[in-house]
Amino acid sequence: MSHLALAAVSFAHQAAPGSPVPKGKACPPRPILDNADLSVPRGAFVLLTGPSGAGKSTLLRLFCRLEEPQTGQVLLDGQPVDTLPPAQLRRRVSYLQQTPAVIPGSVRENLLLPFSFKAASGQERPDDAALTALMDSLAAGDIPLDQEASTLSVGQRQRLCLARALLTRPEALLLDEPTSALDPESAAAVLGAAESFCLDQGGTVILVSHAEFAPARVTPVPYVLSGGQLRAGRLP
Amino acid sequence: MSPGVLDIDLWRLSLALVFSLLAGGCSIALKLGLGRDILIGTVRTIAQLFLMGWVLGIVFAVESPWLVLGLFLAMAGAAAHTARGRVHESAVHFAWPMYASMAAVYLVVTVTVTGAIVHAEPWWKPQYFLPIGGMVLGNSMNSVALALDRLFSDLRARAAVVEMRLCLGADAAEASADVLRTAVRAGMIPSINSMMAVGLVSIPGMMTGQILGGSDPSQAIRYQIVVMLMIVGATALGSTLLTLIIRRRCFGPGDRPLLR
């Protein structure tokens, strides 16, 4: 059975309710996905490419219900995602935004943020040693846990955000151009962690990438999204 | 002439137009372009207040609780409509919940004041209920508009952080808790500030009216204290309830944020 799947999914951005439609421009919205099918087995590493604005981010957002398809079904382990409690779904399928977002506070407070929500009640909070070990695995062990997160560089923030996502113990990672604004060292750390998540922990990864991606350990399954059509691609 | 207050006949009332003419003169001399607004404002002030005086005269004479409540709800509708017009957000429908919660919260506050504190007999006695209700509505209308405007603008400005929290397993309330706090604060701050300045900067409206009417200033201040505290409570309650209800409408099924 597929771990993540799309079944005949169509999606187009809708105008917000009440927003004015300019005269003569009431044409139907451009489809981002047109009757798309996708089947990603558990533990696969999918590399999704396509031109800018093709809807690669939207496809990732469909899996964690940040977008809703107009038709078709988005499935997790064969179950429609809209039948799962949203908080539970988003902890199982973790979406990492392209621009890393942090809250005011220390690196520690940011890492422990997922444990402050009701969905994490009863879960044990990792101690400082565990947090440092995790940051170390992302080549960010030199960042003090007491440091204010807002003072970190973009690359350090992205690694912090990935570490935070991994702390929720997801089954799948959806990475939205995670290295687009990173220096080579940070990019290598982030992609290395994604490969490790896939190979060592059996997690599923969908990586959206604009830039050329040279995997060190995994053999990605390539897909291309263009003009509303999702099709198998070729590795460079 | 009523006891304790000097009547203003129509001739002397018309002398007050001198002040409008003065304002119009400034506008013309300095080319402010406000002449039309000053004219319309003057006409509306006179017409609306004469209408209000005429309606209140009837309501005071009839003394029906339904008429008093009907007028209060109409005033609440006008307040909600005005506040709605100040909030520019079309992606979320909030007019009806806004009207319903404003009417409900401010009705409860007004009934508490007239029934439990002022001890008006009956609690809906129009001479007490309508002016006090009007003050609650007038002040809270601004706070509600400020709170909602802040709620919508912050949900858009901080969409990335709200979404990040959702992705880490937060529900809509947890993801937007800080946005809600900022919005309620924005709604409450003006009424708290006015508590700091009252009695130092100005003699407030209700107290002025009572003093002009011949009341003992020591009683007039008691009414004013009740009014000030009532307004703070009403703005807190109104802003909190309304932002809680309307924040829920800013998220779609599956806690999907609608404002980005």
Side-chain angles (χ1 to χ4, degrees):
Chain A
M1 186 197 289
S2 304
H3 187 204
L4 297 169
L6 300 178
V9 165
S10 294
F11 178 89
H13 284 294
Q14 303 291 304
S19 58
V21 178
K23 245 186 177 176
K25 293 207 171 171
C27 55
R30 183 176 59 88
I32 296 288
L33 282 173
D34 188 8
N35 209 26
D37 291 304
L38 176 69
S39 174
V40 180
R42 187 178 286 272
F45 193 112
V46 169
L47 175 64
L48 180 63
T49 56
S52 281
K56 303 184 294 294
S57 303
T58 304
L59 190 147
L60 295 190
R61 294 165 64 86
L62 283 164
F63 282 113
C64 52
R65 285 195 81 189
L66 289 173
E67 305 287 358
E68 298 274 2
Q70 274 85 43
T71 60
Q73 282 194 317
V74 182
L75 305 161
L76 172 64
D77 276 334
Q79 203 175 350
V81 293
D82 55 5
T83 62
L84 295 166
Q88 191 195 329
L89 166 73
R90 291 180 183 131
R91 285 174 86 92
R92 289 176 66 187
V93 181
S94 192
Y95 170 64
L96 197 69
Q97 298 155 304
Q98 183 175 357
T99 307
V102 295
I103 56 164
S106 66
V107 168
R108 183 188 293 102
E109 285 170 276
N110 270 274
L111 287 170
L112 294 177
L113 179 65
F115 297 90
S116 64
F117 304 133
K118 287 198 289 280
S121 59
Q123 281 187 15
E124 200 181 331
R125 288 176 176 230
D127 58 16
D128 279 3
L131 296 180
T132 306
L134 178 62
M135 291 293 276
D136 206 29
S137 71
L138 288 159
D142 58 328
I143 303 171
L145 294 177
D146 290 323
Q147 187 170 337
E148 185 66 30
S150 60
T151 63
L152 300 177
S153 69
V154 180
Q156 288 173 319
R157 283 188 200 196
Q158 190 63 288
R159 282 180 271 174
L160 164 64
C161 290
L162 180 56
R164 189 170 57 191
L166 290 170
L167 281 170
T168 63
R169 299 188 178 284
E171 299 168 18
L173 270 181
L174 310 174
L175 304 174
D176 193 354
E177 304 212 28
T179 59
S180 59
L182 304 194
D183 57 277
E185 184 206 354
S186 300
V190 167
L191 294 174
E195 287 186 296
S196 167
F197 173 75
C198 180
L199 290 175
D200 306 334
Q201 297 174 44
T204 307
V205 175
I206 303 182
L207 170 69
V208 164
S209 184
H210 214 64
E212 203 164 287
F213 168 54
R217 295 166 62 202
V218 296
T219 308
V221 182
Y223 276 91
V224 178
L225 179 63
S226 180
Q229 302 298 315
L230 182 63
R231 58 182 191 280
R234 273 186 305 189
L235 285 174
Chain B
M1 187 176 119
S2 344
V5 64
L6 299 172
D7 280 357
I8 300 176
D9 63 29
L10 285 176
W11 159 243
R12 279 183 291 140
L13 178 64
S14 64
L15 278 181
L17 288 173
V18 169
F19 296 112
S20 282
L21 291 173
L22 201 65
C26 284
S27 174
I28 291 167
L30 298 173
K31 298 182 179 164
L32 303 178
L34 291 173
R36 190 181 141 84
D37 289 343
I38 292 168
L39 178 66
I40 293 174
T42 304
V43 172
R44 279 189 63 157
T45 298
I46 294 168
Q48 285 167 195
L49 288 177
F50 265 100
L51 180 68
M52 176 61 100
W54 177 69
V55 171
L56 285 180
I58 294 171
V59 176
F60 288 0
V62 174
E63 291 230 328
S64 154
W66 301 113
L67 196 58
V68 172
L69 283 177
L71 188 59
F72 178 84
L73 291 178
M75 287 158 66
H81 180 73
T82 307
R84 169 73 187 86
R86 290 182 194 169
V87 182
H88 303 289
E89 179 57 66
S90 58
V92 178
H93 295 297
F94 62 95
W96 275 108
M98 184 175 185
Y99 172 64
S101 46
M102 280 178 80
V105 169
Y106 303 141
L107 186 63
V108 169
V109 171
T110 309
V111 170
T112 307
V113 171
T114 57
I117 299 173
V118 176
H119 272 282
E121 276 293 336
W123 58 264
W124 50 265
K125 195 170 176 61
Q127 285 85 342
Y128 290 93
F129 193 87
L130 290 174
I132 287 173
M135 274 187 284
V136 175
L137 286 167
N139 286 280
S140 306
M141 177 179 77
N142 295 326
S143 77
V144 160
L146 284 170
L148 285 186
D149 200 44
R150 193 59 180 268
L151 177 75
F152 293 136
S153 61
D154 273 13
L155 278 176
R156 284 192 186 279
R158 295 157 83 172
V161 173
V162 170
E163 209 167 77
M164 174 271 283
R165 291 197 184 105
L166 289 170
C167 292
L168 293 171
D171 60 24
E174 289 170 323
S176 57
D178 54 346
V179 175
L180 182 100
R181 271 196 296 276
T182 317
V184 175
R185 273 178 64 89
M188 287 179 63
I189 282 173
S191 61
I192 294 172
N193 285 346
S194 68
M195 283 207 301
M196 308 296 180
V198 70
L200 296 175
V201 181
S202 65
I203 300 176
M206 180 149 194
M207 202 170 145
T208 306
Q210 286 191 314
I211 291 171
L212 287 177
S215 291
D216 178 358
S218 68
Q219 274 303 317
I221 59 151
R222 291 183 193 195
Y223 268 89
Q224 194 58 49
I225 289 168
V226 170
V227 166
M228 296 303 293
L229 301 183
M230 165 188 88
I231 287 170
V232 170
T235 53
L237 208 60
S239 308
T240 307
L241 185 71
L242 206 62
T243 43
L244 277 171
I245 292 172
I246 291 176
R247 175 182 63 175
R248 185 58 255 176
R249 298 173 82 90
C250 298
F251 291 85
D255 286 346
R256 181 169 58 90
L258 300 177
L259 301 179
R260 284 189 251 144

